[in-house]
């Protein structure tokens, strides 16, 4: 089957490459000629483990190609995916749908064969209706249907998530679109990945509900962590203790500095806006957004406390290990590191940082932070070291060397990657999240 993927960003590129790997004939389309040129040359616009290999091997076998020409790209495609960005609209938190609608208009101008138009971008409830209206008004002489097919890909594990999904959600009321989508996902269907067919509006909401629920889970355990610190309990054991209950589930119960990334912050805000528009407030999600924002700033104060408080901290130097919102990505969007760096700068603390992939994107977001070539260079001369992102590279630091390089052996572990007793035995003042 020929598939067109409009938008070659994170979601479009991973999905397009995986569909090609399933054996479909995929054209990835993007307006940005520089991006298309580099993709043709095998250079990825993002860091995602395994993506470069998948793209190059499928491009070489002729199943995956790239173009800036939408008309040519969608010609003959039975499924046309819209996978463009839906950023938070400046000022109000609503999802900005202008890119989605612009693509729908363009499809309407150029569609010359029967096709199902599928929205993969994360879009508020009702967006599919609007895409359908745009296509209906384009005066098309061919048959079309509009479906919703949200993605549930985690950055850093996106290819595996695509190929082994917990579920595939397809929202459409049209029987022809359903059977075509079943063909699109046939290899996964054969592998017994569950496919859930719903109405289009339900499918659109499922995506937001899933991300909001995960944000609730993380924020819940983060608040439990704060309570653990006060009452002398251990949040990792609390996570285990509640996670073993099958009704709760063990995943997404790692306490940390607060969630970031391209999805949770933006999607929770967009859900709140939808809830407001429809006068059905989601107060739990409202609280989660506030608590998570405050938490990121509070993590800066935690580091300042480890330095001995505001007065003692002024003029001192902190090493930050990890800047991206999570490991195995170069994505800096809404990373807690940004709020922490800001809080430290405001407190007159100098910061040297190292991140395996994120420094290029991080540098403009945290002016004044010195980017270093490796963890030890960042630690050199520091009065405290803070682990912000749990990259594997930080899981087995040479503590003798760390201690030798630091001005004072103070470690703040915001991802709980070390055993408190072991680190303290090596002479460090150690603090973490939800453990005493
Ligand atoms: C998320 C969803 O998982 C994915 O299904 C959706 O399509 C896009 O958003 P992603 O943003 O890539 O994926 O990362 P994820 O692994 O979900 O982590 C999000 C944030 O939550 C990170 O900042 C991470 O550090 C934090 N997190 C996650 C925790 O603090 N604790 C946890 O237990 C899990």
């Amino acid at each position: 089957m020929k598939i067109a993927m409009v938008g070659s960003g994170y979601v479009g590129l991973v999905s397009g490459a995986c569909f090609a790997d399933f054996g479909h004939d995929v054209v990835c389309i993007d307006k940005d000629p520089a991006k298309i040129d580099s993709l043709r040359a095998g250079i990825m616009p993002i860091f995602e483990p395994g993506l470069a290999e998948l793209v190059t091997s499928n491009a070489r076998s002729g199943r995956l190609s790239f173009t800036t020409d939408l008309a040519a790209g969608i010609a003959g495609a039975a499924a046309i995916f819209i996978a463009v960005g839906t950023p938070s609209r400046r000022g109000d938190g609503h999802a900005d749908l202008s890119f989605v609608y612009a693509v729908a208009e363009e499809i309407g101008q150029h569609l010359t064969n029967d096709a199902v138009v599928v929205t993969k971008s994360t879009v508020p409830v009702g967006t599919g209706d609007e895409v359908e209206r745009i296509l209906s008004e384009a005066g098309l002489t061919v048959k079309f249907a509009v479906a919703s097919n949200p993605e549930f890909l985690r950055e850093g594990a996106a290819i595996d998530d695509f190929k082994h999904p917990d579920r595939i959600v397809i929202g459409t009321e049209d029987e022809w679109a359903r059977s075509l989508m079943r063909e699109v996902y046939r290899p996964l269907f054969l592998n017994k990945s569950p496919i859930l067919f719903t109405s289009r509006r339900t499918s659109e909401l499922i995506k937001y509900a899933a991300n909001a629920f995960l944000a609730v889970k993380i924020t819940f355990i983060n608040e439990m962590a704060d309570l653990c610190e006060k009452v002398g309990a251990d949040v990792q054991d609390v996570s285990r203790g509640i996670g073993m209950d099958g009704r709760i589930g063990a995943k997404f119960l790692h306490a940390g500095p607060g969630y970031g990334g391209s999805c949770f912050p933006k999607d929770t805000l967009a859900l709140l806006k939808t809830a407001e528009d429809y006068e059905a407030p989601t107060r739990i999600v409202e609280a989660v957004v506030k608590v998570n924002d405050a938490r990121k700033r509070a993590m800066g104060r935690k580091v300042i406390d480890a330095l001995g408080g505001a007065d003692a901290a002024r003029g001192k130097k902190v090493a930050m290990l990890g800047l991206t919102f999570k490991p195995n990505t170069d994505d800096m969007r809404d990373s807690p590191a940004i709020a922490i760096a800001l809080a430290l700068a405001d407190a007159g603390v100098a910061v040297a940082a190292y991140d395996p992939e994120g420094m290029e994107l991080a540098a403009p977001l945290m002016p004044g932070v010195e980017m270093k070539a490796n963890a030890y260079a960042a630690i050199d001369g520091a009065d405290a070291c803070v682990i912000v992102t749990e990259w594997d590279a930080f899981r087995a630091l040479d503590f003798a060397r760390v201690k030798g390089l630091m001005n004072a052996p103070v470690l703040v572990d915001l991802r709980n990657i070390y055993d408190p007793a072991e680190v303290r035995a090596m002479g460090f003042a150690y603090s973490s999240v939800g453990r005493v």
Side-chain angles (χ1 to χ4, degrees), residues 23-198:
H24 294 309
D25 180 11
V26 180
V27 183
C28 285
I29 303 161
D30 203 285
K31 282 221 165 320
D32 179 353
K35 190 185 269 183
I36 292 298
D37 282 347
S38 40
L39 282 168
R40 283 179 176 153
I43 301 160
M44 299 302 110
I46 47 159
F47 172 79
E48 178 64 29
L51 184 62
E53 295 78 355
L54 198 71
V55 167
T56 4
S57 68
N58 282 285
R60 207 176 294 128
S61 68
R63 286 194 300 268
L64 181 62
S65 59
F66 302 96
T67 183
T68 52
D69 184 345
L70 184 132
I74 66 168
I80 303 169
F81 283 85
I82 302 178
V84 293
T86 52
S88 280
R89 210 161 59 188
R90 212 177 280 270
D92 67 0
H94 265 294
D96 180 351
L97 297 170
S98 53
F99 302 110
V100 173
Y101 295 148
V103 170
E105 298 271 2
E106 239 190 299
I107 295 172
Q109 284 158 22
H110 297 292
L111 192 63
T112 52
N113 53 271
D114 295 353
V116 175
V117 175
V118 192
T119 314
K120 215 173 219 330
S121 306
T122 299
V123 292
V125 177
T127 304
D129 301 354
E130 181 63 14
V131 169
E132 188 169 284
R133 192 191 60 76
I134 292 170
L135 292 172
S136 301
E137 286 177 4
L140 293 168
T141 50
V142 293
K143 185 165 77 157
F144 75 88
V146 177
S148 154
N149 170 220
E151 53 82 19
F152 302 102
L153 309 175
R154 284 166 306 164
E155 290 184 20
I159 293 168
D160 197 51
D161 282 351
F162 195 96
K163 292 190 167 179
H164 306 102
D166 288 343
R167 79 306 205 184
I168 298 152
V169 176
I170 292 163
T172 176
E173 282 81 358
D174 185 300
E175 198 38 57
W176 165 60
R178 280 186 190 196
S179 60
L180 190 120
M181 290 302 285
R182 217 176 261 123
E183 277 310 302
V184 166
Y185 280 104
R186 193 174 173 73
L188 293 181
F189 195 48
L190 293 176
N191 267 346
K192 307 257 183 293
S193 292
I195 300 197
L196 178 67
F197 286 102
T198 70

Side-chain angles (χ1 to χ4, degrees), residues 10 122 151-156 161 167 207 211 214 218 221-222 251-264 267 325-327 334 336 390 415:
Y10 196 83
T122 299
E151 53 82 19
F152 302 102
L153 309 175
R154 284 166 306 164
E155 290 184 20
D161 282 351
R167 79 306 205 184
K207 166 68 190 210
N211 275 354
L214 293 171
I218 297 168
I221 203 65
N222 282 341
K251 291 182 182 162
F252 273 70
L253 287 177
H254 296 292
Y259 63 77
S262 62
C263 290
F264 290 167
D267 294 349
F325 80 99
K326 67 174 200 173
D334 280 305
E390 68 278 32
R415 298 288 184 169

Side-chain angles (χ1 to χ4, degrees), residues 148-312:
S148 154
N149 170 220
E151 53 82 19
F152 302 102
L153 309 175
R154 284 166 306 164
E155 290 184 20
I159 293 168
D160 197 51
D161 282 351
F162 195 96
K163 292 190 167 179
H164 306 102
D166 288 343
R167 79 306 205 184
I168 298 152
V169 176
I170 292 163
T172 176
E173 282 81 358
D174 185 300
E175 198 38 57
W176 165 60
R178 280 186 190 196
S179 60
L180 190 120
M181 290 302 285
R182 217 176 261 123
E183 277 310 302
V184 166
Y185 280 104
R186 193 174 173 73
L188 293 181
F189 195 48
L190 293 176
N191 267 346
K192 307 257 183 293
S193 292
I195 300 197
L196 178 67
F197 286 102
T198 70
S199 76
R200 197 166 57 206
R201 285 184 161 236
T202 304
S203 166
E204 288 169 341
L205 186 58
I206 285 173
K207 166 68 190 210
Y208 283 103
N211 275 354
F213 191 82
L214 293 171
V216 169
K217 230 180 152 181
I218 297 168
T219 307
F220 176 84
I221 203 65
N222 282 341
E223 286 201 318
M224 285 300 124
D226 291 347
L227 186 55
C228 283
E229 287 176 26
K230 301 279 186 210
V231 302
D234 183 316
V235 75
Q236 286 180 313
D237 286 340
V238 171
S239 294
R240 278 185 210 109
I242 64 173
M244 282 176 194
D245 185 327
R247 294 169 299 176
I248 296 174
K251 291 182 182 162
F252 273 70
L253 287 177
H254 296 292
Y259 63 77
S262 62
C263 290
F264 290 167
K266 157 176 96 64
D267 294 349
T268 43
L269 281 184
L271 180 63
L272 290 185
K273 286 294 163 192
T274 302
E276 204 178 293
D277 289 350
Y278 286 86
E279 292 178 12
T282 49
R283 293 199 188 86
I284 293 175
V285 183
E286 277 170 28
V288 161
V289 168
K290 282 196 192 113
V291 169
N292 193 65
D293 279 348
R295 181 168 192 82
K296 293 182 189 173
R297 288 190 294 275
M299 292 300 114
R301 287 196 295 278
K302 196 175 174 83
V303 179
I304 291 164
D305 285 348
L307 287 166
D311 289 343

